[in-house]
Amino acid sequence: MKKLLLLFLLFPSICWGSQIISSGSGGGLANPANEDWIIPDPYSLGSSTVSAKVFASTITVKNALVLPPDTLGNLWQVNISTAGVLYTSPVAFATGGTVTYDGLYTVHTFLTSGDLTVYRTGDVNVLCVAGGGGGGFEGGGGGGGGVTVSTISLTPGSYPVVIGDGGAGSGIATRNIHGSSGSPSSFSSVASVGGGGGGTSQSPLFNTDGNPLSGGSGGGGAINDPPGNSHYIGAFGTLYQGNKGGDGTGAPAYVGGGGGGALTSGQNGNDRGIDYAGNGGDGIMCSYSGGIMYYGGGGGGYGQASWVKGLGGLGGGGNGNTEPTSGLVNSGGGGGSKESSGYNDGGSGIVIIRYVTP
């Protein structure tokens, strides 16, 4: 106890709660020099086999991985042996993304693709949201990106995190073709499907290029004009990730369907009343970021007047009509359907990883 008190007085930056590892026959690691350790700077030199100078003692560490100091300055635990030799090991479970803290949890948020480097074995909660689908032209809203919530176990290593982009909306130059689907997002064994593009009404008769696309959630159907095409039928979503897009309608009320959302289906045209376009389906609520957020909302469908436009669903879905809006960035929201100018692209996805702070 006197040794530990003296060490604390000499080195006050050593964190409280340090693990005591005895060497030799006293228990713990029988021969720490032959064990695999992760040694952060400034306690180590070299790369493969490291001679770590610790106080007045020097030990040789087998297969040591040298890491830079963490910018937060509080992620490394100091281990003190009963023999007075200092060893270091990481308190951090992982590094990567934007790191925040929420009560008991450490949270890693990825707005763009990157890597999560894991130093320990343990379970993590994962929210994986794909990119939303682009809205159609005079048609249906884009489907929300697929949303997957899962708990998985990780072992030490580097794990790629892929963030899906939102799909491009259909515009004047591409009005014969549906909106583009969003791109998938993934982390380890967790993957989500991009939202389906919204249908467009301008396709020639018996042409399927304007049909809405299936995805995490399906794109909404276009107005049924010309009759005989199937572009007015909302597309299907992916099981456990999203829902179907709403159907569009024909004469006498030409309105599009809302894109599907991760929680609810897109609304059919005229469901709110004659001439009213379908609203986008709502996305899923998740509090992994520390606050209540919604993800994977569908885009609103096209109506023939501003007051009957389809509204985007909770979770970043864009509104439809003459002043359309794109899906919200990093929400996986689908883009709204548009009539002429404006933006109706899908919103990019997001991956959030959290675990109980060590």
Side-chain angles (χ1 to χ4, degrees):
M1 180 61 74
K2 290 182 179 179
K3 284 185 178 181
L4 292 179
L5 179 58
L6 177 60
L7 289 172
F8 174 72
L9 293 175
L10 292 175
F11 301 95
S13 61
I14 294 177
C15 63
W16 288 101
S18 297
Q19 180 182 359
I20 305 301
I21 296 180
S22 59
S23 59
S25 60
L29 298 176
N31 190 349
N34 290 327
E35 299 293 335
D36 291 341
W37 286 84
I38 296 177
I39 309 258
D41 288 337
Y43 300 111
S44 58
L45 303 170
S47 57
S48 178
T49 299
V50 179
S51 292
K53 289 188 175 181
V54 189
F55 295 148
S57 302
T58 299
I59 61 171
T60 298
V61 182
K62 173 188 173 186
N63 297 331
L65 174 63
V66 179
L67 302 173
D70 193 278
T71 55
L72 296 179
N74 61 354
L75 295 183
W76 303 105
Q77 183 178 28
V78 176
N79 299 320
I80 306 172
S81 78
T82 55
V85 179
L86 177 71
Y87 303 102
T88 56
S89 63
V91 165
F93 178 84
T95 55
T98 300
V99 181
T100 57
Y101 299 93
D102 177 35
L104 297 176
Y105 294 97
T106 299
V107 183
H108 297 255
T109 301
F110 289 84
L111 305 180
T112 58
S113 298
D115 294 285
L116 184 78
T117 302
V118 177
Y119 303 114
R120 297 182 173 191
T121 298
D123 293 340
V124 297
N125 304 133
V126 181
L127 168 71
C128 181
V129 182
F137 185 84
E138 293 185 357
V147 178
T148 304
V149 181
S150 183
T151 298
I152 60 174
S153 182
L154 300 177
T155 56
S158 182
Y159 295 81
V161 180
V162 178
I163 305 300
D165 293 326
S170 179
I172 294 177
T174 56
R175 58 188 175 187
N176 293 331
I177 304 174
H178 48 64
S180 299
S181 293
S183 300
S185 293
S186 63
F187 168 71
S188 185
S189 60
V190 182
S192 296
V193 180
T200 181
S201 65
Q202 300 293 317
S203 293
L205 189 62
F206 306 125
N207 188 303
T208 60
D209 287 346
N211 289 10
L213 299 177
S214 297
S217 285
I223 64 177
N224 190 13
D225 183 32
N229 280 2
S230 55
H231 53 222
Y232 70 95
I233 301 175
F236 287 99
T238 300
L239 187 65
Y240 304 126
Q241 293 193 17
N243 292 280
K244 179 183 179 297
D247 297 339
T249 63
Y254 294 97
V255 291
L263 180 64
T264 63
S265 297
Q267 192 176 44
N268 295 329
N270 289 332
D271 274 6
R272 293 187 294 152
I274 199 72
D275 289 334
Y276 281 84
N279 292 335
D282 289 334
I284 284 179
M285 182 187 73
C286 183
S287 60
Y288 283 2
S289 64
I292 296 177
M293 300 290 292
Y294 289 83
Y295 302 94
Y302 166 77
Q304 293 185 310
S306 61
W307 60 88
V308 293
K309 66 183 178 183
L311 302 177
L314 290 173
N319 298 329
N321 253 53
T322 55
E323 296 180 354
T325 54
S326 294
L328 186 65
V329 173
N330 296 126
S331 72
S337 177
K338 72 178 181 181
E339 180 182 35
S340 54
S341 61
Y343 299 97
N344 61 338
D345 300 332
S348 55
I350 190 172
V351 169
I352 300 176
I353 303 157
R354 74 169 190 175
Y355 48 85
V356 176
T357 302

